Amino acid sequence: ALLRLDAGETIDLVIADLSMPAMDGISVIKAVQRRYPHLPAILLTGFTNETAVSTLDVLEGAFLLLRKPVTRLELAERVAVLLEGASAAQGGYPLRP
């Protein structure tokens, strides 16, 4: 995802899982936010305890946490909310820093 962003690929929203190999979702979203502070993000997690996501306070901007399982409808609704907020707040999110 970061390579695609850095290559200039058009991305409207980032969706990451908290637990991923090599780089966790919080690290991915933080890296995206450093490059593109207005790009919205969704973090998915199957963890139920609060300590598993206690570092979320370091995330800024348009960001949502969704706990799995997530239905397609629920995900689509959250994506729509973030994208509508992007259009309303910024006139759309810039794709380049």
Side-chain angles (χ1 to χ4, degrees):
L2 296 174
L3 291 174
R4 288 180 166 195
L5 278 168
D6 290 342
E9 189 168 324
T10 300
I11 296 175
D12 297 318
L13 179 128
V14 173
I15 300 174
D17 195 286
L18 178 62
S19 181
M20 300 186 302
M23 190 175 201
D24 66 71
I26 292 173
S27 297
V28 170
I29 292 172
K30 284 173 33 180
V32 167
Q33 288 177 340
R34 281 192 298 275
R35 291 167 171 86
Y36 306 91
H38 300 292
L39 192 64
I42 294 175
L43 180 67
L44 297 170
T45 183
F47 291 107
T48 57
N49 64 15
E50 292 304 315
T51 58
V53 291
S54 62
T55 57
L56 292 179
D57 59 340
V58 300
L59 297 175
E60 300 173 357
F63 161 76
L64 290 175
L65 172 68
L66 291 179
R67 296 199 187 270
K68 294 187 263 181
V70 177
T71 67
R72 287 183 287 200
L73 179 59
E74 183 180 14
L75 182 59
E77 288 172 347
R78 298 308 192 287
V79 166
V81 165
L82 283 173
L83 293 178
E84 287 172 16
S87 294
Q90 301 287 328
Y93 284 114
L95 297 176
R96 297 227 176 242

